[in-house]
Each structure stands twice: as C-alpha cells, then as structure tokens.
C-alpha cells in the first residue's frame, strides 16, 4: 500500500522535540510488510495542515496522522480535517463517553475543555484510546483511508497496533503481506554477521535484512505466504546456529528483561557497583517490573573515597593500580557482594571521556568484574565512541556478562 505519515506540532518543526513518531510508525508497519512512502511534519497552522492533507490524499492510499487531538486551542487536527474534506464538526457522543469514562476510571475530575476532544468530523469512526483522553478517528476520502492518532507516543503506538493495523490487513485482503522475526545480537558487527550468512545462506523464500540499535545488531528474517511461520522457524534455528552465543533476545524481548527473568528464575540476588556508568545498569534493571525480587542494591561509587568507604577497595590498589584497573574492578565486585550479602556482585569502572584518558589507559578503557561464591571474573575492554556510547556499551556488556553467567556460558 501507498502509505504516508503526517505529524503536526510547532515543537516538531522548530527543533524543540524530535519527531520519534514517524520512525516508530515506519518500524512497526515495516515489521508487517507495509512500507511508508512519505513523511511530513507541519506546524500548528491550519492552512499548512489543510494543504498537506489535500496534497497527500491525492497521491496516497493511506495517511496516518499524529498530533493535534488535545483539549487546547492549538490542537487543530479535527477542525482542519472536517473543513478539508467538507464535513461538519460535530459533538461525537461516543467519543465524549469514552473521555468521561477515562476520567472516571482514573478517579479524576474532567475539565470542561476536554469536551473539545469529542468534536470530530461528521461520520468519523472512533478509534478508542485506552491510555489517554484523546480519541482517534478514521475517515475515508476518495480512495484514501485516513487515521488520526494522538501525538503521545505511548498512546499512538497502542492505537496503531490495536486500531490501525487490523484495518490495514482488512484493506490488503485479510492477511499481512509479510511476517518478520528479529534476532537481537550483541558482540558481532553487522559486516561479520553478513559474512556468516554469505557462507551459510538462508533457505529460499526467506528474506534477510539488518538494523542497528547501538550497540546491538538486529537480524531480520522475513517470509510471506501460508507457510511463512514454518519457514521462519527453520530460518531462526539456522540463524541461531550461526550466531550463538551472541543472540540475546528475539522480537520485543530486551537484554535487561531477559537478565531479570533469568535472575528471578534462578532465585539469585544481585548487587551492583558502578563508576563510569553512573547507575545506568541499575536503571536498565529497575525499569523491569519486579526488579526488587533480585536487585538488592546499586552503588554509584564514582570517587576513590566512595570505592574505599563503601566497597572497601584497599588504598594500595587505588594508589598503585588506579581506580580503572582489573584489581579495582575485582575489589569493587567483591566488596559490594560482601556488604550486600547477595549471591552476585557486579562492578563497572572505566574512562568514558571525553577527558581523563592516558596513553596507557585511553578513553574507552573499561573493566568489568563479577563476583560469586564459586568464582570471580574480571576483564578489560577498549570501547570506542563518544561518552554516551561508551557508557551505554559498558552497561550492556555488564548485562551480557550476567546473561552468559546465568546461561552457563563463558
């Protein structure tokens, strides 16, 4: 299908906010075999929005619009859509009931301005929004299907999956054009992965594509037709044999969530000592509901005094080896595990930059250590990138250490 995305909001065109909605829409639709052919962002200007709608409906079969469905005066989408397509703006009772029900469920008083969100083009089809106050709406003009969704990413994605995708499938004949399975890989570069598949290709009928979500590579397996599921099962098995042990997740799974599940299943507790990552590992794990079942504590021991006072890192190590060293990482992991009384202690220390490096220990030098009752591991790395990238890859490597330990891998 010939699909376009239209996002509205002054904040998108003046640089205050990035347009993440277009990327997320394209990614989600692409996983189902639908390609976005055009995207456009316009400000909160009625003439600009109307001109964009006129132009895009003349050339596209599907338009997905986001933004401008709120209760304030600068939320213009419904009014402009009504005028553009020659419809009256009317109070939609179904939409109003949905808005009132949302406030009742939240035990909050509804402001009279929220009634504006129920003013929609005549004969629109309501797209329920279970996560927010703004109902979406659908209408058809000529050969073009138009879906208008809120700009809030969380609400928009849920409505895209629950309301828009089923209608696209209906329009395309009741079946998805493509099925996709994504293997998430950490520790192999995209060129290396491609080389492996060149040497051992997938079976005919399965397409192969790649994506990068630093520091991970996504290996995308795609197939269509009645046997797509079976083809993808065989392709996934083949890909895993090529890429193990570097595959850490499939589909919507994440590295942190899988580590959290494995720690919970193993009934093991964890304590973290972080220096250069500044608590990033702790954040990734506590983003997972139920993290209290396994995470006992996380200490950001940035200074030497913190490493000495909280983790009992000996002064001799800090003087002779330095805070960024194998010896210090090992002492940090051991110290946090002993002080917390946990099964595992994990430590990260390094130089994230942009300053602080030396010829012996340049920016990107990072040491990880894992302490358990039966063993201790420590390893040094030289990561590249800017400060944010070095911190992120260090935190992800720490989680990967945990995943491999729990899986019984080296």
């Amino acid at each position: 299908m010939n699909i376009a995305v239209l996002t509205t909001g002054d904040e998108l065109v003046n640089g205050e906010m990035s347009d993440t909605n277009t990327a997320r829409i394209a990614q989600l639709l692409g996983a189902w075999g639908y390609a976005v052919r055009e995207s456009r962002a316009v400000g909160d200007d009625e003439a600009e929005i109307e001109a964009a709608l006129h132009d895009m409906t003349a050339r596209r079969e599907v338009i997905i619009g986001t933004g401008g469905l709120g209760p304030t005066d600068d939320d213009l989408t419904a009014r402009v859509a009504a005028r553009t397509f020659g419809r009256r703006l009317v109070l939609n009772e179904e939409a109003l009931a949905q808005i009132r029900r949302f406030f009742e469920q939240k035990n909050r008083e509804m402001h009279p301005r929220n009634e504006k969100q129920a003013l929609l083009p005549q004969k629109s089809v309501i797209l329920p929004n279970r996560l927010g106050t703004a109902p979406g709406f659908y209408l058809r003009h000529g050969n073009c299907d138009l879906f208008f969704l809120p700009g809030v990413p969380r609400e928009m994605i849920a409505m895209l999956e629950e309301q828009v995708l089923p209608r696209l499938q209906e329009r395309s004949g009741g079946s998805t054009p493509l099925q996709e399975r994504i293997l998430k890989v950490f520790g192999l570069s995209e060129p290396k992965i491609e080389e492996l598949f060149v040497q051992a290709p997938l079976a005919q009928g399965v397409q192969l594509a790649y994506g990068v979500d630093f520091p991970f590579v996504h290996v995308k397996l795609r197939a269509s037709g009645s046997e797509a599921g079976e083809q993808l099962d065989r392709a996934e098995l083949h890909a895993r044999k090529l890429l193990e042990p570097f595959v850490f997740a499939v589909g919507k799974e994440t590295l942190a969530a899988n580590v959290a599940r494995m720690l919970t299943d193993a009934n093991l507790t964890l304590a973290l000592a972080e220096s250069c990552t500044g608590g990033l590992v702790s954040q990734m794990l506590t983003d997972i509901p139920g993290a209290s079942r396994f995470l006992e504590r996380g200490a950001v021991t940035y200074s030497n005094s913190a490493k000495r006072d909280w983790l009992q890192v000996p002064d001799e190590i800090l003087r002779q080896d330095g805070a960024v060293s194998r010896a210090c990482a090992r002492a940090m992991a051991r110290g946090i595990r002993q002080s917390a009384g946990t099964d595992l202690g994990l430590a990260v220390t390094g130089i994230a930059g942009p300053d602080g490096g030396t010829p012996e220990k340049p920016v990107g030098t990072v040491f990880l250590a894992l302490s358990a009752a039966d063993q201790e591991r420590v390893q040094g790395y030289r990561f590249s990138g800017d400060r944010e990238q070095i911190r992120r890859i260090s935190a992800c490597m720490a989680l990967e250490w945990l995943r491999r330990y729990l899986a019984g891998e080296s």
Side-chain angles (χ1 to χ4, degrees), residues 180-215:
E180 181 180 69
R181 197 162 301 172
I182 299 176
L183 304 184
K184 298 179 179 179
V185 178
F186 182 39
L188 291 177
S189 67
E190 190 176 3
K192 178 61 178 176
I193 295 171
E194 186 175 39
E195 178 186 340
L196 291 173
F197 279 106
V198 168
Q199 296 170 354
L202 293 169
Q204 191 172 6
V206 179
Q207 302 172 25
L208 179 63
Y210 303 99
V212 176
D213 178 20
F214 182 85

Side-chain angles (χ1 to χ4, degrees), residues 389-407:
Q389 290 174 319
I390 291 170
R391 282 161 48 89
R392 177 165 172 76
I393 196 171
S394 299
C396 291
M397 184 62 80
L399 291 176
E400 178 69 352
W401 269 46
L402 288 170
R403 186 188 73 83
R404 295 219 187 174
Y405 172 83
L406 294 164

Side-chain angles (χ1 to χ4, degrees), residues 186 212-216 276-277 280 284 351-354 363-364 366 382-397:
F186 182 39
V212 176
D213 178 20
F214 182 85
F216 310 130
C276 63
T277 48
L280 186 55
M284 289 177 169
I351 305 170
V363 169
V366 175
R382 292 281 178 88
F383 296 132
S384 61
D386 59 25
R387 181 179 178 82
E388 181 181 351
Q389 290 174 319
I390 291 170
R391 282 161 48 89
R392 177 165 172 76
I393 196 171
S394 299
C396 291
M397 184 62 80

Side-chain angles (χ1 to χ4, degrees), residues 23-34 157 160-161 165 252:
R24 299 186 72 176
I25 291 170
Q27 290 167 359
L28 183 58
L29 294 185
W32 290 89
Y34 301 106
I157 287 294
L160 188 69
E161 293 177 331
L165 270 172
K252 294 184 178 181

Side-chain angles (χ1 to χ4, degrees), residues 84-159:
T84 302
F85 303 117
R87 306 189 184 202
R88 291 194 301 119
L89 194 68
V90 299
L91 183 67
N92 188 296
E93 294 296 339
E94 180 184 352
L96 184 59
Q98 175 188 305
I99 297 168
R100 287 173 173 165
R101 187 163 54 249
F102 178 86
F103 281 98
E104 289 171 0
Q105 292 171 346
K106 298 294 183 182
N107 196 27
R108 291 163 47 194
E109 183 178 354
M110 176 176 157
H111 194 282
R113 279 184 173 271
N114 286 103
E115 289 191 7
K116 173 181 177 291
Q117 295 176 287
L119 290 172
L120 301 176
Q122 191 176 30
K123 296 183 180 180
S124 296
V125 176
I126 299 304
L127 303 177
N129 179 1
R130 60 181 175 82
L131 299 177
T133 63
F137 64 95
Y138 158 79
L139 55 85
R140 187 173 179 84
H141 182 75
N143 190 44
C144 186
D145 291 321
L146 297 103
F147 302 91
F148 294 94
L149 308 176
V152 179
R154 177 169 172 263
E155 299 174 24
M156 183 276 295
I157 287 294
M159 294 173 69

Side-chain angles (χ1 to χ4, degrees), residues 17 49 103 188 204 234 246 257 278 310 338 404:
M17 293 181 62
I49 299 172
F103 281 98
L188 291 177
Q204 191 172 6
R234 291 192 294 269
F246 301 99
W310 285 10
Q338 291 175 348
R404 295 219 187 174

